[in-house]
Amino acid sequence: MTLYREGTLLKDCLGDLWMITGYCRDDLFRRKPNAYVLHRLADLFISKTVYRIVHRQMELVSEA
């Protein structure tokens, strides 16, 4: 799996646009970074979602 770069735009199943603004660590799974920091563009809601979930459930709109 190739990771998306910061600034990449994604679309979820509801049609909301999200931007990857960084990488973070989900302590339940690993010690090294294994999740994206996502910002929903409509209201700047922040989500920290594990890589594999993003790659399965979101559509790539434009890559940075």
Side-chain angles (χ1 to χ4, degrees):
M1 169 177 51
T2 303
L3 298 181
Y4 297 137
R5 296 172 38 174
E6 292 181 22
T8 298
L9 289 176
L10 304 165
K11 183 170 40 170
D12 66 11
C13 62
L14 300 174
D16 291 334
L17 289 176
W18 295 79
M19 180 180 282
I20 297 174
T21 57
Y23 306 97
C24 65
R25 178 174 55 134
D26 184 337
D27 293 328
L28 295 175
F29 296 103
R30 297 184 187 153
R31 292 185 176 211
K32 59 184 179 179
N34 66 341
Y36 292 115
V37 178
L38 300 169
H39 280 81
R40 184 168 45 208
L41 297 182
D43 57 5
L44 297 180
F45 176 78
I46 298 172
S47 173
K48 296 177 180 175
T49 309
V50 178
Y51 297 147
R52 62 183 164 74
I53 294 174
V54 171
H55 285 265
R56 279 190 197 152
Q57 297 182 356
M58 293 186 144
E59 178 185 337
L60 179 65
V61 175
S62 84
E63 198 160 2

